[in-house]
Amino acid sequence: MMKIDILSLFPEMFEGFLHTSIIKRAIEKGVVEIHVHDFREFAHDRHKSVDDTPYGGGQGMVLMCQPLLDCLKTVVDKDALVILMSPQGQTFSQKMAVDLTNEKHLIIICGHYEGFDERIRDYVDMEISIGDYVLTGGELSSMVITDAVTRLLHGAIREASHEDDSFSDGLLEYPQYTKPAEYDGAKVPEVLLSGHHENIRKWRLKQSLKRTYLRRPDLLRDRAFTKEEAKLMEEIQAELEK
Ligand code: 4FV
């Protein structure tokens, strides 16, 4: 069972997230334990201040050390990996999500305002960004991490269902179809109706390679292609040159 503690000034933002679908079931099944802590409760002054103006001047407010770190001290333990959410972190990926499933205890700190007092980083093991854009707070990014990691935990969802996820094998997922076999004149590819599993596997691999080649060639740059994949890539490039 993994434990996830989230430090946020807006715990109400997590209500829907924690009580819906896969995350809700994973909590009920005891696969994961998720707690949200409002570090404003650790503020000492009567205004419950958690931020202040930046030394050296400048726009906006900065999160203070004391309330946030006093809250952190109440949840940190020897197994804890402390993660700070910020645009300056390493960009999150499926590989990072898989690596984090090996941890017993994640503590995720959500930012707000202009950012954190730099000394907070002395208590942080890892800094993660979910992308090169600026959010109003770290809550959404902490949900992204929690969601991507929880669904990979043993017992959260049927193992098979994330085996052919995009990125699980470094490729984008192949096109999916379901009933009806014809919609508004658009037919499902014959091979998928054939029941011929080997042909279906080949078709799906070729589609994944083609989609990755067209949409995310960066994902193929350092890829060690199997003989079969190399042959399929030749076919794809020949067909695209036609
Ligand atoms: C962010 C990101 C992000 C920056 C200022 C919250 C905001 C405020 N977090 N990936 N991109 N955070 O934009 O993780 O503190």
Side-chain angles (χ1 to χ4, degrees), residues 63 84-88 110-116 128-139 141-142:
L63 281 171
L84 189 78
M85 302 309 305
S86 98
Q88 296 126 46
C110 304
H112 213 73
Y113 311 109
E114 292 315 305
F116 303 92
I128 300 179
S129 169
I130 59 168
D132 297 344
Y133 37 79
V134 180
L135 304 169
T136 61
E139 283 70 23
S141 48
S142 72

